Amino acid sequence: MNRIATLKRQASMLGAAFLMAFAAAANAAPAAAVEIQEVKTPGGLTAWLVEDHTVPIIAMNFAFRGGSALDPQDKRGLATFLAATLDEGAGDLDSQAFQQALESTATKLSFEADRDDLSGRLQTLASNRDRAFDLLKLAVNDPRFDAEPVERMRARLLASVRSDATDPENIASEKWLKLALGDHAYVNKPDGTVEGLQAVTADDLRALRNRIFNKAGLKIAVVGAIDAKTLAPILDEVFGALPATGDLASVPEAQVRKGNAVEVVAFDIPQSVIMFGTGGLKRDDPDFIPAYVMNSILGGSGFGSRLTEEVREKRGLTYSVYSALWTLDHAGLFIGGAATRNDRAAETVKVIQDEIARMAKDGPTEKELAEAKTYLTGAYALRFDSNAKIARELLGIQLNDLGIDYINKRNRLVEAVTLEDVKRAARRVLDSGDLLVTVVGKPDNLTSTGG
């Protein structure tokens, strides 16, 4: 999935989430009540477990370091292709038999490649636990890559890439990443290119699996009706045969372009799609939490944010405008987007630029900070209202090296943010308010500058 599209969707949903946050905080178990066990297996693996027998379901999320940023230049989309074919037959089960086995045990199994990782998700009934993990073991250790499912997945991926090539939001995000990051590997979409997907062979898929799938780069989160004693040998059975280390190339640190620039991409549509941004902070930066609070006030909280107030409510320029912090292993980015009529695109860009410059110069008010803290701490519980959500959250915490106690201290970190902290983070991220902007459409009175 396009990560920028995911960030946009999350930001647009936050207005509704705001209305739910206080009820959730009052009625649901707080995040701090989630008890995480660190499970050490006899084979040397480590996993985080939240044992919960309330419902007879087990959810598991796991990830290997190494994603689409490592795709060869002539085979862009290789990691996504691998993710698409891992559950299309394994061991002595061809694609149809493997899918039937999943269906007969009510097991959901999927894989996904992002720029830095290749991840997997498993969800099953506790009563079908052993068979579900047997199927996962086959997919991880012995995928078949038979000709028929490989070609079927190739056709599906090619159709998606061709569709994205005419989607203005995808075009805007691709152009913005190129404008911001130049030739860095992060510019290349995980979904790949037509030429790259056409060049991938089954041997390429096997070779990439062998490089990525190793115990050193593995993170595991399990939530549900299973205890640590039962889980440990199962994890060794599933992942224990993997090599200790992999053979992955390194990804260089990204250098984000500074300054103002606008790139207009002519596209015959009635609306202009706008993407804007600049460099951000990586997740381990001490100022990340203050920057996160700042972004919530600016454009990350949906309805109620400054950008929504200025761009939508006061001027009626767009239905939705958002901003987000996008953290990658080798880059931190601040991004945002909107869509508006072609004849109001220039005005929309100017309002966004002015509002970001104002935040960079003056920061938020005490009232805005207090409201943001209340919202962010109250809404945190919404991330833990299902086994699947908890497993996803735990995996993200592991991938970001935040520590097993992060859930317990996260809200305290937000509460501790001062007005000066947010102003400092705003100056660091937004600098003087300079923005890189891409616009896809036929905007009036707006042309490319400094591209």
Side-chain angles (χ1 to χ4, degrees):
M1 179 183 291
N2 187 319
R3 178 59 176 156
I4 295 176
T6 301
L7 290 168
K8 176 186 177 182
R9 187 178 67 253
Q10 290 172 343
S12 66
M13 291 170 62
L14 287 177
F18 181 83
L19 301 175
M20 300 166 59
F22 299 103
N27 298 320
V34 175
E35 181 182 348
I36 306 171
Q37 304 174 59
E38 186 175 66
V39 178
K40 298 279 191 179
T41 75
L45 296 171
T46 299
W48 290 3
L49 167 66
V50 173
E51 184 178 348
D52 181 5
H53 296 269
T54 306
V55 292
I57 293 175
I58 299 170
M60 174 178 173
N61 281 41
F62 58 94
F64 298 93
R65 291 296 191 185
S68 66
L70 298 176
D71 285 350
Q73 188 64 38
D74 60 342
K75 294 179 181 178
R76 295 297 179 194
L78 175 59
T80 292
F81 207 149
L82 173 62
T85 50
L86 286 169
D87 63 347
E88 289 291 332
D92 60 354
L93 301 176
D94 63 16
S95 176
Q96 183 176 359
F98 193 90
Q99 292 298 318
Q100 287 175 342
L102 290 174
E103 183 177 351
S104 68
T105 55
T107 297
K108 296 179 181 179
L109 175 62
S110 63
F111 296 87
E112 180 180 6
D114 211 332
R115 286 172 170 82
D116 292 316
D117 313 289
L118 195 151
S119 61
R121 291 181 295 277
L122 174 76
Q123 186 168 317
T124 190
L125 296 172
S127 58
N128 295 330
R129 178 193 68 208
D130 292 344
R131 181 54 174 159
F133 279 109
D134 283 344
L135 293 170
L136 175 61
K137 176 185 176 181
L138 288 176
V140 168
N141 293 277
D142 194 19
R144 292 168 60 113
F145 305 120
D146 292 335
E148 187 279 327
V150 165
E151 293 310 313
R152 177 160 40 83
M153 290 300 105
R154 191 195 311 274
R156 182 178 299 176
L157 293 170
L158 285 169
S160 177
V161 168
R162 289 177 173 128
S163 175
D164 284 350
T166 60
D167 181 272
E169 290 191 2
N170 277 285
I171 295 170
S173 65
E174 287 185 45
K175 294 296 183 181
W176 187 88
L177 283 170
K178 181 68 175 177
L179 188 64
L181 300 180
D183 294 327
H184 193 274
Y186 283 154
V187 172
N188 301 301
K189 287 180 57 181
D191 289 348
T193 64
V194 169
E195 296 78 14
L197 291 169
Q198 288 175 333
V200 170
T201 67
D203 285 341
D204 294 326
L205 299 173
R206 293 187 186 93
L208 181 61
R209 191 212 72 88
N210 292 341
R211 291 196 300 273
I212 288 181
F213 282 24
N214 64 85
K215 289 184 277 192
L218 176 62
K219 305 293 184 184
I220 306 169
V222 181
V223 180
I226 189 169
D227 58 36
K229 183 179 179 180
T230 304
L231 177 63
I234 288 176
L235 294 179
D236 277 341
E237 185 68 21
V238 172
F239 299 110
L242 296 176
T245 59
D247 181 23
L248 296 174
S250 60
V251 176
E253 289 296 306
Q255 301 299 316
V256 185
R257 176 178 174 175
K258 297 293 185 180
N260 279 312
V262 176
E263 181 175 348
V264 176
V265 180
F267 206 76
D268 191 12
I269 50 177
Q271 283 200 119
S272 287
V273 175
I274 300 164
M275 184 164 178
F276 59 86
T278 185
L281 302 178
K282 292 172 68 175
R283 188 60 186 82
D284 60 357
D285 192 290
D287 274 339
F288 179 83
I289 293 293
Y292 180 71
V293 176
M294 179 276 295
N295 178 69
S296 179
I297 296 166
L298 179 61
S301 60
F303 298 109
S305 71
R306 281 192 180 185
L307 287 176
T308 298
E309 179 67 19
E310 294 297 324
V311 179
R312 172 185 161 134
E313 300 301 324
K314 287 185 179 180
R315 296 171 176 83
L317 294 170
T318 183
Y319 175 77
S320 174
V321 58
Y322 74 96
S323 66
L325 296 175
W326 186 11
T327 58
L328 296 151
D329 285 356
H330 304 283
L333 300 170
F334 166 77
I335 63 168
T340 190
R341 285 168 21 194
N342 285 322
D343 62 343
R344 304 196 74 180
E347 180 186 0
T348 301
V349 170
K350 179 65 164 57
V351 173
I352 291 170
Q353 289 172 327
D354 288 348
E355 200 55 39
I356 288 175
R358 184 166 76 93
M359 177 65 83
K361 179 176 180 291
D362 301 326
T365 66
E366 287 280 9
K367 182 176 183 290
E368 287 176 319
L369 175 58
E371 289 176 348
K373 287 182 180 182
T374 299
Y375 164 67
L376 291 171
T377 54
Y380 193 49
L382 296 175
R383 303 187 191 183
F384 301 90
D385 60 5
S386 72
N387 287 359
K389 284 186 179 181
I390 297 171
R392 182 177 64 223
E393 193 72 14
L394 295 189
L395 182 64
I397 292 170
Q398 291 183 70
L399 290 172
N400 285 304
D401 296 322
L402 299 178
I404 199 167
D405 62 340
Y406 179 76
I407 289 176
N408 294 327
K409 68 183 183 181
R410 184 268 193 185
N411 277 357
R412 294 198 300 272
L413 294 174
V414 173
E415 290 284 7
V417 171
T418 66
L419 191 62
E420 184 50 46
D421 291 335
V422 179
K423 289 181 177 180
R424 181 182 65 251
R427 290 191 297 269
R428 286 191 61 195
V429 173
L430 307 177
D431 198 11
S432 60
D434 289 349
L435 285 179
L436 305 175
V437 181
T438 55
V439 183
V440 177
K442 298 177 69 176
D444 295 350
N445 304 314
L446 195 60
T447 57
S448 297
T449 60

